[in-house]
Amino acid sequence: MQRHPGDPQWIKVFASAEVAGQWFDQHDTEGVAWEYEIEGRQRLASIWIYLTDEKSRDIGNPGWARLFTSEQTAENWLEQIAPGRRIWTYPVEE
Protein backbone atom coordinates (compact mmCIF):
# COMPACT_ATOMS: atom_id res chain seq x y z
CA MET A 1 0.00 0.00 0.00
CA GLN A 2 1.48 3.32 -1.04
CA ARG A 3 0.98 6.16 1.43
CA HIS A 4 0.87 9.87 0.65
CA PRO A 5 1.61 13.07 2.60
CA GLY A 6 -1.15 13.59 5.13
CA ASP A 7 -1.77 9.87 5.75
CA PRO A 8 -1.26 9.19 9.49
CA GLN A 9 1.30 6.43 8.85
CA TRP A 10 3.11 8.17 5.96
CA ILE A 11 5.95 9.37 8.18
CA LYS A 12 7.03 8.98 11.81
CA VAL A 13 8.60 11.87 13.73
CA PHE A 14 10.84 11.09 16.70
CA ALA A 15 11.93 13.36 19.55
CA SER A 16 15.52 12.03 19.40
CA ALA A 17 17.79 9.52 17.71
CA GLU A 18 17.49 7.34 20.80
CA VAL A 19 13.69 7.27 20.57
CA ALA A 20 13.92 6.46 16.85
CA GLY A 21 16.33 3.60 17.56
CA GLN A 22 14.05 2.12 20.19
CA TRP A 23 11.05 2.31 17.84
CA PHE A 24 13.00 0.65 15.01
CA ASP A 25 14.23 -2.10 17.35
CA GLN A 26 10.62 -2.97 18.21
CA HIS A 27 8.78 -2.30 14.93
CA ASP A 28 11.07 -2.21 11.89
CA THR A 29 14.63 -3.47 12.29
CA GLU A 30 15.33 -2.65 8.62
CA GLY A 31 14.01 0.94 8.95
CA VAL A 32 16.02 4.09 8.34
CA ALA A 33 15.69 7.57 9.86
CA TRP A 34 16.89 10.97 8.67
CA GLU A 35 17.47 14.03 10.81
CA TYR A 36 16.01 17.38 9.77
CA GLU A 37 16.32 20.75 11.47
CA ILE A 38 13.07 22.03 12.99
CA GLU A 39 12.43 25.73 12.36
CA GLY A 40 10.96 27.95 15.08
CA ARG A 41 11.07 27.76 18.83
CA GLN A 42 11.20 24.54 20.83
CA ARG A 43 8.90 21.89 19.38
CA LEU A 44 5.56 20.98 20.88
CA ALA A 45 3.75 17.62 20.76
CA SER A 46 3.53 17.81 16.96
CA ILE A 47 5.46 19.25 14.07
CA TRP A 48 4.24 20.67 10.78
CA ILE A 49 5.83 19.43 7.56
CA TYR A 50 6.14 21.21 4.23
CA LEU A 51 7.41 19.28 1.19
CA THR A 52 9.15 21.10 -1.63
CA ASP A 53 7.62 18.59 -4.06
CA GLU A 54 4.77 16.36 -2.83
CA LYS A 55 5.59 13.69 -5.42
CA SER A 56 9.31 13.55 -4.66
CA ARG A 57 10.66 10.47 -2.89
CA ASP A 58 14.02 12.16 -2.25
CA ILE A 59 13.67 11.66 1.50
CA GLY A 60 16.99 12.14 3.26
CA ASN A 61 17.94 15.09 1.05
CA PRO A 62 18.14 18.17 3.36
CA GLY A 63 16.02 20.21 0.93
CA TRP A 64 13.25 17.60 0.69
CA ALA A 65 11.19 18.93 3.62
CA ARG A 66 10.93 21.80 6.07
CA LEU A 67 9.79 21.11 9.63
CA PHE A 68 8.14 23.68 11.88
CA THR A 69 7.49 23.74 15.62
CA SER A 70 4.06 25.31 15.38
CA GLU A 71 1.25 25.65 12.91
CA GLN A 72 1.52 29.46 13.12
CA THR A 73 5.23 29.37 12.25
CA ALA A 74 4.47 27.12 9.27
CA GLU A 75 1.57 29.32 8.11
CA ASN A 76 3.70 32.49 8.37
CA TRP A 77 6.45 30.84 6.33
CA LEU A 78 3.95 29.62 3.71
CA GLU A 79 2.44 33.09 3.31
CA GLN A 80 5.86 34.55 2.55
CA ILE A 81 7.60 31.75 0.66
CA ALA A 82 5.06 29.31 -0.77
CA PRO A 83 1.53 30.78 -0.87
CA GLY A 84 -1.14 28.25 -1.77
CA ARG A 85 0.95 25.24 -0.73
CA ARG A 86 0.03 22.78 2.04
CA ILE A 87 1.47 21.57 5.33
CA TRP A 88 0.74 18.39 7.28
CA THR A 89 0.71 17.80 11.02
CA TYR A 90 2.41 14.76 12.57
CA PRO A 91 2.75 13.83 16.26
CA VAL A 92 6.23 13.51 17.75
CA GLU A 93 6.97 10.04 19.10
CA GLU A 94 8.41 10.37 22.63
Side-chain angles (χ1 to χ4, degrees):
M1 171 187 218
Q2 186 176 12
R3 301 197 188 274
H4 302 281
D7 292 341
Q9 295 300 316
W10 177 72
I11 194 169
K12 289 256 185 229
V13 179
F14 301 101
S16 68
E18 181 180 346
V19 172
Q22 291 170 355
W23 188 91
F24 283 121
D25 287 346
Q26 294 176 6
H27 297 85
D28 185 358
T29 56
E30 300 294 318
V32 178
W34 291 270
E35 185 173 356
Y36 285 88
E37 182 178 335
I38 299 176
E39 299 186 28
R41 59 186 168 76
Q42 186 175 359
R43 69 162 178 79
L44 303 174
S46 296
I47 63 164
W48 287 260
I49 299 174
Y50 164 79
L51 300 177
T52 56
D53 177 359
E54 292 179 27
K55 296 179 182 175
S56 171
R57 298 296 176 244
D58 201 15
I59 191 167
N61 178 332
W64 177 73
R66 293 186 79 103
L67 309 181
F68 300 92
T69 59
S70 72
E71 186 172 18
Q72 188 61 54
T73 300
E75 294 290 346
N76 291 345
W77 186 86
L78 283 176
E79 285 177 19
Q80 295 176 359
I81 307 300
R85 297 292 302 269
R86 298 185 315 179
I87 56 172
W88 295 273
T89 306
Y90 284 90
V92 175
E93 303 277 335
E94 298 286 343

